[in-house]
């Protein structure tokens, strides 16, 4: 069979493409469908690109490490949405626009303040995004491109405010306050003191940038799938937030830090990992669908951002508990690389990010909301891009494995009752 597939693909010259087609044909022949849509291209997009074999991620062509090193949150917002990095003037304009749009309508902040504290922040966030639709009565009109840009920026601007109002139980959270940058405002939501320390803002901004887009991941695919029914930006972004909350996607950062705490000491790491693997359980923060080598975002976090917090020359102070968790994480990395490198599994971005977020004083249940504050740039860009293409609604197929067609069998009494009713 494999030889026949190779014959079929003999005209495909690009070796990478050939390998992709080969995988798809063999999967179809073997399984009859594509579990998890693995390897299946579902859209054409010019926003970001991953080379999983070589550990490369680019936003609009720029490697993510360079963007994290030299750019601001506003730059990445502009780059992803409009396609290029802004001039200084454009960056300032965008920043002003975000700050002009950041405050929530009173009706929405009132509802958010009343929301139950037991509601997970991710579900609070998705519900609140839907509430924002009330101030956009034209939301069903999705093909007014200028309006779509404004809608996108409006959502980006309001996301941290939703979190600030809920977390602080303050309907007027940050109203009238001024900030130097949007990343500073995002950090202010979680730690007003650290938000005035430039080093912490720098660290936080890099985390947001690293999360900003990542091709057709589960939450971005949710945006595209919902958008393909021509549903509103609110419906599409809310569905993305819900997708991101899952432990196999963005929710892994919350689980990873809990795992470090559960392990307690670097000495316990080896036995913990061995037991997990023996029970065939997943180690949170490890593995990725696309990367067959170290994820470049994860590598940047490990080599560039973590030393800013935990390194010997760090200008940021962290306590002993944090240092212990950092040591545990490093030991897990070592054990995982030893035991699982054959499966090409490496720590992903969610493995390292929680250490920094915890050092900032953010509660683990809020970790995934910070992922969302970064990723909303990508989600909005994908929604806008989607509304510009010649859309075809996502409507895949299934292989039915249920019961064959059958009929309701009535007994004599039921049959006569039905017949009489019919008369
Ligand atoms: N721990 C242990 N083994 C793992 C892990 C893990 N975290 N991840 C994958 N594997 C193993 C699987 O058991 C499987 O082994 P097998 O071939 O012997 O059966 C092999 O690696 C391939 O795994 P799949 O499930 O086929 O990989 P898939 O691409 O479907 O899943 C995923 C990717 C969901 C990220 C997976 O690696 C995982 O569950 N990781 C833990 C959760 C996590 O960290 N999620 C965050 C992802 S990154 C992000 O969303 C930002």
């Amino acid at each position: 069979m494999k030889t026949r597939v190779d014959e079929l693909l003999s005209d495909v010259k690009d070796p990478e493409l050939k390998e992709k087609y080969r995988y798809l044909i063999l999967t179809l022949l073997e399984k009859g469908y594509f579990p998890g849509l693995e390897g299946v291209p579902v859209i054409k997009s010019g926003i970001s690109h991953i080379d999983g074999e070589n550990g490369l991620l680019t936003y609009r062509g720029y490697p993510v490490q360079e963007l994290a090193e030299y750019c601001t949150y506003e730059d990445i917002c502009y780059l992803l949405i409009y396609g290029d990095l802004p001039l200084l003037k454009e960056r300032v304009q965008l920043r002003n626009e975000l700050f002009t749009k950041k405050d929530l309508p009173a009706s929405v902040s009132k509802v958010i303040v009343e929301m139950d504290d037991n509601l997970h922040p991710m579900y609070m966030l998705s519900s609140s995004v839907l509430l924002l639709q009330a101030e956009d009565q034209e939301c069903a009109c999705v093909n007014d491109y200028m309006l779509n840009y404004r809608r996108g920026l409006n959502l980006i601007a309001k996301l941290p405010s939703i979190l600030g109002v809920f977390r602080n139980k303050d309907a007027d959270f940050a109203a009238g306050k001024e900030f130097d940058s949007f990343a500073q405002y995002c950090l202010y939501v979680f730690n007003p003191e650290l938000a005035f320390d430039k080093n912490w803002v720098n660290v936080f901004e890099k985390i947001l940038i690293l999360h900003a887009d990542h091709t057709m991941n589960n939450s971005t695919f949710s945006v595209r799938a919902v958008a393909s029914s021509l549903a509103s930006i609110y419906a599409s972004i809310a569905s993305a937030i819900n997708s991101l909350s899952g432990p196999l996607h963005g929710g892994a950062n919350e689980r990873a830090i809990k795992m470090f705490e559960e392990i307690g000491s670097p000495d316990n790491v080896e036995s913990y990992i061995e037991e997990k693997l023996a029970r065939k359980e997943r180690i949170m923060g490890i593995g990725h669908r696309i990367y067959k080598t170290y994820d470049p975002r994860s590598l940047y976090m490990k080599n560039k951002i973590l030393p800013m917090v935990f390194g010997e020359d760090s200008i940021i102070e962290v306590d002993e508990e944090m240092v212990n968790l950092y040591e545990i994480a490093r030991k897990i990395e070592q054990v995982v690389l030893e035991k699982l490198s054959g499966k090409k599994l490496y720590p992903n971005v969610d493995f390292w990010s929680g250490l920094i977020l915890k050092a900032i004083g953010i509660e683990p249940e809020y970790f995934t909301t910070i992922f969302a504050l970064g990723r909303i740039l990508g989600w909005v860009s994908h929604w806008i891009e989607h509304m510009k293409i010649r859309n075809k609604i996502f409507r895949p197929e299934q292989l039915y494995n249920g019961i064959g067609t059958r009929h309701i069998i009535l007994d004599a009494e039921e049959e006569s009752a039905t017949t009489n009713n019919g008369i």
Side-chain angles (χ1 to χ4, degrees), residues 74 357 364:
E74 289 85 343
L357 302 180

Side-chain angles (χ1 to χ4, degrees), residues 52-160:
E53 290 295 329
N54 296 304
L56 178 72
L57 166 65
T58 54
Y59 299 167
R60 303 272 188 200
Y62 293 105
V64 71
Q65 304 92 316
E66 289 176 30
L67 296 170
E69 194 71 26
Y70 304 115
C71 294
T72 64
Y73 183 83
E74 289 85 343
D75 293 338
I76 306 306
C77 178
Y78 197 98
L79 174 69
L80 291 176
I81 292 182
Y82 298 112
D84 226 327
L85 285 168
L87 302 171
L88 182 60
K89 191 174 130 210
E90 290 164 334
R91 177 201 286 169
V92 174
Q93 268 171 359
L94 179 74
R95 183 172 293 163
N96 291 342
E97 189 169 354
L98 290 176
F99 282 126
T100 312
K101 292 181 186 310
K102 87 174 192 339
D103 292 336
L104 303 178
S107 58
V108 172
S109 39
K110 201 170 142 215
V111 175
I112 296 175
V113 168
E114 293 295 322
M115 283 184 186
D116 195 319
D117 277 344
N118 291 317
L119 189 59
H120 191 282
M122 286 298 278
Y123 300 142
M124 181 284 298
L125 197 58
S126 61
S127 313
S128 305
V129 164
L130 292 173
L131 292 179
L132 288 174
Q133 181 275 318
E135 62 166 7
D136 182 359
Q137 289 303 306
E138 300 296 310
C139 73
C141 166
V142 291
N143 53 10
D144 180 338
Y145 303 131
M146 294 319 289
L147 186 57
N148 285 348
Y149 284 111
R150 288 205 297 279
R151 284 174 170 142
L153 291 181
N154 186 47
L155 273 185
I156 291 166
K158 288 186 167 53
L159 216 61

Side-chain angles (χ1 to χ4, degrees), residues 19-268:
E19 193 45 46
K20 280 185 179 164
Y21 291 162
R22 193 170 186 274
Y23 172 81
L24 288 174
I25 296 170
L26 288 174
T27 304
L28 196 58
L29 289 172
E30 188 190 325
K31 301 194 169 117
Y33 75 114
F34 300 104
L37 289 180
E38 185 167 3
V40 181
V42 293
I43 203 91
K44 284 184 174 179
S45 172
I47 300 171
S48 59
H49 172 67
I50 302 174
D51 174 349
E53 290 295 329
N54 296 304
L56 178 72
L57 166 65
T58 54
Y59 299 167
R60 303 272 188 200
Y62 293 105
V64 71
Q65 304 92 316
E66 289 176 30
L67 296 170
E69 194 71 26
Y70 304 115
C71 294
T72 64
Y73 183 83
E74 289 85 343
D75 293 338
I76 306 306
C77 178
Y78 197 98
L79 174 69
L80 291 176
I81 292 182
Y82 298 112
D84 226 327
L85 285 168
L87 302 171
L88 182 60
K89 191 174 130 210
E90 290 164 334
R91 177 201 286 169
V92 174
Q93 268 171 359
L94 179 74
R95 183 172 293 163
N96 291 342
E97 189 169 354
L98 290 176
F99 282 126
T100 312
K101 292 181 186 310
K102 87 174 192 339
D103 292 336
L104 303 178
S107 58
V108 172
S109 39
K110 201 170 142 215
V111 175
I112 296 175
V113 168
E114 293 295 322
M115 283 184 186
D116 195 319
D117 277 344
N118 291 317
L119 189 59
H120 191 282
M122 286 298 278
Y123 300 142
M124 181 284 298
L125 197 58
S126 61
S127 313
S128 305
V129 164
L130 292 173
L131 292 179
L132 288 174
Q133 181 275 318
E135 62 166 7
D136 182 359
Q137 289 303 306
E138 300 296 310
C139 73
C141 166
V142 291
N143 53 10
D144 180 338
Y145 303 131
M146 294 319 289
L147 186 57
N148 285 348
Y149 284 111
R150 288 205 297 279
R151 284 174 170 142
L153 291 181
N154 186 47
L155 273 185
I156 291 166
K158 288 186 167 53
L159 216 61
S161 309
I162 294 172
L163 290 161
V165 168
F166 182 69
R167 192 167 178 276
N168 297 282
K169 293 279 165 229
D170 175 5
D172 295 322
F173 175 77
K177 278 226 158 6
E178 302 219 339
F179 299 93
D180 295 334
S181 68
F182 208 70
Q184 184 191 30
Y185 175 48
C186 291
L187 181 54
Y188 183 83
V189 167
F190 299 99
N191 192 325
E193 227 175 275
L194 294 190
F196 291 93
D197 179 328
K198 282 202 166 71
N199 295 314
W200 275 113
V201 175
N202 186 20
V203 163
F204 197 67
E205 186 156 40
K206 288 181 189 307
I207 291 182
L208 295 176
I209 292 172
L210 290 179
H211 284 93
D213 197 42
H214 210 228
T215 75
M216 220 27 58
N217 59 86
N218 192 274
S219 55
T220 305
F221 179 59
S222 305
V223 171
R224 292 287 196 161
V226 176
S228 81
S229 77
L230 301 186
S232 75
I233 192 166
Y234 310 94
S236 306
I237 301 293
S239 82
I241 295 170
N242 290 332
S243 144
L244 188 71
S245 71
L248 297 189
H249 192 10
N253 56 12
E254 181 181 339
R255 273 75 174 186
I257 203 84
K258 286 185 177 155
M259 175 178 75
F260 303 162
E261 288 169 341
E262 192 188 326
I263 292 173
S265 155
D267 297 338
N268 302 334

Side-chain angles (χ1 to χ4, degrees), residues 38 247-250 252 277 281-289 297 340 343 345 348-350 371:
E38 185 167 3
L248 297 189
H249 192 10
L277 294 178
E281 286 174 10
R282 299 276 155 132
I283 301 156
M284 285 295 124
I286 304 294
H288 200 276
R289 168 65 61 82
R297 305 165 301 168
L340 293 175
K343 290 190 180 180
L345 295 175
N348 58 48
V349 72
D350 288 330
F371 193 146

